[in-house]
Amino acid sequence: MIRICENHLKPFVQEHELEYLATQLALAFDNVTEKTGPGNDFLGWVDLPINYDEEEFDRIIYAAERIRSQSDVLLVVGIGGSYLGARAVIEALNPTFRKPDDLEIIFAGHQISGDYLAELLDYLEDKDVSLNVISKSGTTTEPAIAFRILREFMEKKYGEMSTERIFITTDKERGALKELANQVGYETFVVPDDVGGRYSVLTAVGLLPIAAAGISIKELMQGAAEQRELALNFDLEDNVILRYAGWRNILLRRGYDTEILVNYEPGLMFFNEWWKQLYGESEGKDGKGLFPAGVNFTSDLHSMGQFIQDGKRNLFETVLDFKQTRKEIYIPGDEQNLDELNYLTGKSLQEVNRTALQGVMLAHEDGGTPTIRLELDRLDVKHLGALIYFFEFACGISGYLLGVNPFNQPGVEAYKRNMFALLGKPGYEELTKELEQRL
Ligand code: PA5
């Protein structure tokens, strides 16, 4: 389903390097599949495509239908792992320009911008709205603030009926959101205990918004399940996930400490963002890690392209190459040919785009940037499900190869403590004084 092309990587590495890494890859593989590594409480995502709560899955489909029939807009409130997966899949698969009757999905709570929320409230004034708030902990500041404001808006607009329009995705027992849901009677969906935020797109966290967007979550899970089958076979020749995880680790050891995920479809911009979070939070700790960056080509060839071709030589690229995308369009002929484009007459844009991809890989190879190309037949829901699983599995393996716990994120707490202290949250008084002096 996903093929790995190493032609433009091979000038920079030697085949035996992957063979020499086999023992370490086998250990990392066992850490993931046998749940023997650090963070092993959070490996629920490994079996998720074949082992999920079917009753809840049906409820998600039913709730999604209700949302679609009763709303112009679905507000999805969440941040980080409770946000990026849904946005990545929806933007990758749904048309860029929606029809007036299509449900509009709007994300909120993924930053603290007052302009954004105030303008959103104005925009929602004459719309029918449903809201899905997503937070595993139930206490994350950004979505909690947005939800407080948006819940007030929903209650003013719909009174008691707002209960029918608010859906909560959170821990099955604990946290402020669960308590609120119990009190008010909102329908709830579960973030499983053993699945961390950035690995949660195939739980209700991602599935409810994705289903509400009209995308088949059954096919998404099928694609992931097919990739899982392939992932679980430890064979260095055939297992593309192991090869990807191995090569990126080898490149890091050789000094290529920045990996750039490259796409050629604007709809994949948020797939890059999802991937950046997955790898950034999983690997970037204990002073280690590859820095995950993302570019959208060919747009960014006219900005970041210069650096990738010619700047500091510490970069490698992982390119997403979809042979077929959602639509096809052909270049017309023109009698005058003032733009001298007649040599392209009859060619599809996809053909031109993929030719750009090939030209770029060759140029970057000449400039000293290795490329790992991941080839997929189509940009559709099944292949996206497979790609999600591919990157999740590779991320777990990569983290263990690096010697870190790929499933915690201790580093994200530091800014929160400072923000709470500076905002005067009770219990932070000492830190408030200390930080104010430093400021
Ligand atoms: O990957 C993670 O664990 C984080 O990015 C979280 O998803 C993010 O901080 C949001 O947390 P929560 O779902 O508890 O609001």
Side-chain angles (χ1 to χ4, degrees), residues 22-36:
T23 317
Q24 288 165 64
L25 275 165
L27 276 175
F29 182 83
D30 286 351
N31 282 166
V32 171
T33 54
E34 314 271 322
K35 301 191 175 27
T36 47

Side-chain angles (χ1 to χ4, degrees), residues 79-82 134-138 140 143 196-198 277 281 409 416:
I79 195 167
S82 291
I134 308 168
S135 175
K136 183 171 183 173
S137 61
T140 307
R198 57 190 175 276
Q277 189 216 356
E281 273 192 354
Q409 53 284 331
K416 290 187 195 167

Side-chain angles (χ1 to χ4, degrees), residues 1-6 227 230 237-241 243-244 318-324 354 372-378 383 386-387 390:
M1 199 174 231
I2 298 172
R3 294 172 291 278
I4 187 164
C5 168
E6 299 165 357
Q227 191 60 45
L230 302 170
E237 277 300 308
D238 283 350
N239 189 327
V240 288
I241 301 185
R243 293 190 80 81
Y244 169 64
T318 297
V319 178
L320 301 179
D321 179 14
F322 289 92
K323 285 169 83 179
Q324 260 180 46
R354 285 196 79 224
I372 298 170
R373 181 168 65 90
L374 301 177
E375 189 185 84
L376 296 94
D377 286 335
R378 271 181 302 283
H383 283 84
L387 198 57
F390 174 101

Side-chain angles (χ1 to χ4, degrees), residues 47-350:
D47 294 329
L48 210 49
I50 54 149
N51 182 15
Y52 53 86
D53 179 343
E54 290 181 20
E55 180 275 329
E56 185 184 63
F57 195 83
D58 290 343
R59 235 167 15 89
I60 289 174
I61 293 175
Y62 182 69
E65 277 164 15
R66 251 178 58 213
I67 290 169
R68 286 172 73 75
S69 66
Q70 72 186 10
S71 338
D72 305 311
V73 173
L74 170 65
L75 295 172
V76 180
V77 179
I79 195 167
S82 291
Y83 152 65
L84 287 162
R87 187 159 189 181
V89 173
I90 293 168
E91 297 205 359
L93 297 176
N94 271 6
T96 311
F97 308 102
R98 8 165 254 115
K99 300 202 176 79
D101 288 344
D102 290 346
L103 177 75
E104 186 176 8
I105 312 272
I106 299 181
F107 295 89
H110 54 294
Q111 21 70 5
I112 321 178
S113 162
D115 284 355
Y116 186 90
L117 262 191
E119 286 164 18
L120 176 59
L121 289 173
D122 285 347
Y123 179 73
L124 295 175
E125 206 51 55
D126 57 351
K127 306 269 190 308
D128 266 322
V129 183
S130 294
L131 188 158
N132 178 204
V133 57
I134 308 168
S135 175
K136 183 171 183 173
S137 61
T139 50
T140 307
T141 310
E142 291 90 338
I145 293 174
F147 183 52
R148 187 183 269 216
I149 292 168
L150 292 166
R151 182 158 71 99
E152 184 189 54
F153 163 84
M154 295 292 281
E155 284 170 358
K156 276 195 190 137
K157 193 173 173 93
Y158 296 108
E160 279 190 1
M161 291 308 287
S162 62
T163 316
E164 303 295 310
R165 291 176 172 271
I166 295 180
F167 301 84
I168 293 192
T169 308
T170 192
D171 186 88
K172 72 172 182 307
E173 282 167 0
R174 292 178 296 266
L177 279 179
K178 183 65 189 169
E179 205 177 316
L180 179 73
N182 289 344
Q183 279 175 22
V184 183
Y186 298 133
E187 180 161 11
T188 57
F189 299 92
V190 172
V191 192
D193 285 341
D194 57 358
V195 180
R198 57 190 175 276
Y199 293 82
S200 70
V201 53
L202 300 178
T203 70
V205 170
L207 296 180
L208 179 57
I210 292 168
I215 295 164
S216 165
I217 55 173
K218 281 193 183 141
E219 285 182 50
L220 189 73
M221 293 301 254
Q222 267 167 25
E226 282 174 29
Q227 191 60 45
R228 179 182 166 279
E229 279 294 310
L230 302 170
L232 293 180
N233 174 24
F234 188 87
D235 178 337
L236 257 193
E237 277 300 308
D238 283 350
N239 189 327
V240 288
I241 301 185
L242 290 178
R243 293 190 80 81
Y244 169 64
W247 285 129
R248 64 195 294 286
N249 186 272
I250 289 161
L251 286 165
L252 173 63
R253 294 177 196 218
R254 278 177 168 268
Y256 296 93
D257 57 18
T258 300
E259 177 178 11
I260 307 175
L261 189 71
V262 180
N263 72 64
Y264 281 77
E265 280 299 316
L268 289 172
M269 186 186 280
F270 269 87
F271 194 84
N272 277 16
E273 296 303 308
W274 170 82
W275 176 89
K276 276 160 58 183
Q277 189 216 356
L278 181 64
Y279 281 81
E281 273 192 354
S282 299
E283 290 192 308
K285 54 195 67 158
D286 303 335
K288 302 180 208 169
L290 267 162
F291 184 79
V295 290
N296 310 291
F297 284 172
T298 59
S299 311
D300 289 338
L301 286 169
H302 299 259
S303 59
M304 297 303 289
Q306 169 61 37
F307 198 114
I308 298 170
Q309 182 70 43
D310 209 18
K312 190 176 171 199
R313 300 296 72 196
N314 63 334
L315 316 170
F316 74 93
E317 292 173 291
T318 297
V319 178
L320 301 179
D321 179 14
F322 289 92
K323 285 169 83 179
Q324 260 180 46
T325 54
R326 296 197 304 258
K327 297 268 182 216
E328 206 43 291
I329 185 165
Y330 296 88
I331 298 172
D334 180 70
E335 245 173 52
Q336 280 197 299
N337 196 26
L338 289 175
D339 52 14
E340 296 179 0
L341 285 180
N342 271 357
Y343 75 103
L344 294 177
T345 301
K347 281 198 195 294
S348 74
L349 253 65
Q350 175 61 358

